[in-house]
Amino acid sequence: MPTSILIITIPTALHEQLHRRLYNEFLGQVRDTGLKNSWADIGNTTLSAQGHSGRSSKEGDSTGGPEPQRAAKGTWPTFVIEAGFSQSLGKLYLAMRRWFSLSNHEVKIVLLAKFNGTTILLEKWEEEMQVRPGATATRRSPQHPTPVLRQSITITQNITTNPTSYNVTSGALVLSFRLLFLRDPGPGEGDFVFSVQELEEYARGVWAEV
């Protein structure tokens, strides 16, 4: 009689730190802006593409979207964080593309957080309309949403200082208010910014789990 084997992947504390610390910082900024009740924390809910099941589904590490537009069961988030330690960067790229395509482009920002033991790589991906490869660029050319890398930030640890310090390249991480909340910012609202100092503290928490 054939034996079935169920393989369950258990996230490590390091994996959880890679995405939860970023997402919790974002939630804190949402609260500080007075938008606590306007954001739905979708978490790691498994979502299926409309009319599909099985392999046509996606589960992120940390996800969320604006209320009421993305609060109903089965709706897709606007913001996704995918973290990887044991996963290769290639697998994270595949996951990013699947978020955009399976959601029918309802996902607006995918933030990748990859740790390889010596460096944290943060990549912010969005989509923009582009002419298909090989097509002539005219006003009538068919266009399709294409993932575009908007920001790439690397963080490294410097153990030669006391206390240990962290080096952040490319400055602050910026998340578009308009893409996340599906509207223009109002008075007192604006893009969500993770300063260099906040990214250094984030890295400190990640390396604490190594």
Side-chain angles (χ1 to χ4, degrees):
M1 180 177 179
T3 301
S4 297
I5 300 176
L6 175 63
I7 300 177
I8 300 175
T9 302
I10 301 176
T12 64
L14 175 56
H15 180 97
E16 292 298 294
Q17 287 289 331
L18 272 173
H19 65 92
R20 285 308 305 180
R21 288 184 71 91
L22 285 171
Y23 192 70
N24 287 341
E25 171 61 29
F26 166 72
L27 290 180
Q29 294 190 30
V30 169
R31 288 191 297 268
D32 291 344
T33 310
L35 294 169
K36 177 181 178 181
N37 296 324
S38 298
W39 184 262
D41 184 4
I42 301 174
N44 59 354
T45 302
T46 300
L47 299 166
S48 296
Q50 187 173 1
H52 299 275
S53 61
R55 293 185 65 184
S56 296
S57 61
K58 202 73 187 76
E59 177 182 327
D61 289 318
S62 290
T63 67
E67 291 189 359
Q69 301 97 314
R70 302 298 175 87
K73 181 179 180 180
T75 55
W76 291 84
T78 56
F79 181 38
V80 173
I81 302 179
E82 284 278 358
F85 175 49
S86 60
Q87 301 94 325
S88 68
L89 192 57
K91 287 185 177 180
L92 290 181
Y93 287 152
L94 178 61
M96 173 268 296
R97 293 181 182 277
R98 282 174 59 83
W99 273 111
F100 287 129
S101 61
L102 289 180
S103 70
N104 195 26
H105 313 290
E106 291 186 7
V107 170
K108 302 303 180 184
I109 298 176
V110 177
L111 180 61
L112 303 181
K114 169 64 179 172
F115 182 65
N116 65 6
T118 60
T119 303
I120 297 172
L121 173 65
L122 300 178
E123 290 190 350
K124 181 184 69 176
W125 290 81
E126 300 171 1
E127 286 190 304
E128 69 178 19
M129 299 300 293
Q130 294 185 355
V131 177
R132 292 185 182 278
T136 303
T138 68
R139 287 185 299 175
R140 295 185 178 181
S141 299
Q143 295 186 333
H144 68 293
T146 302
V148 176
L149 177 61
R150 297 297 193 194
Q151 270 193 282
S152 180
I153 297 172
T154 58
I155 309 174
T156 55
Q157 184 186 56
N158 184 359
I159 61 174
T160 64
T161 60
N162 187 18
T164 299
S165 60
Y166 299 87
N167 302 318
V168 178
T169 67
S170 304
L173 172 66
V174 182
L175 303 179
S176 167
F177 182 99
R178 182 179 58 81
L179 291 180
L180 295 175
F181 280 87
L182 305 177
R183 63 174 176 83
D184 292 331
E189 301 173 343
D191 292 342
F192 299 93
V193 179
F194 297 70
S195 68
V196 169
Q197 182 179 358
E198 288 167 340
L199 292 176
E200 290 172 348
E201 288 303 312
Y202 159 71
R204 193 181 311 278
V206 171
W207 255 281
E209 299 296 338
V210 176

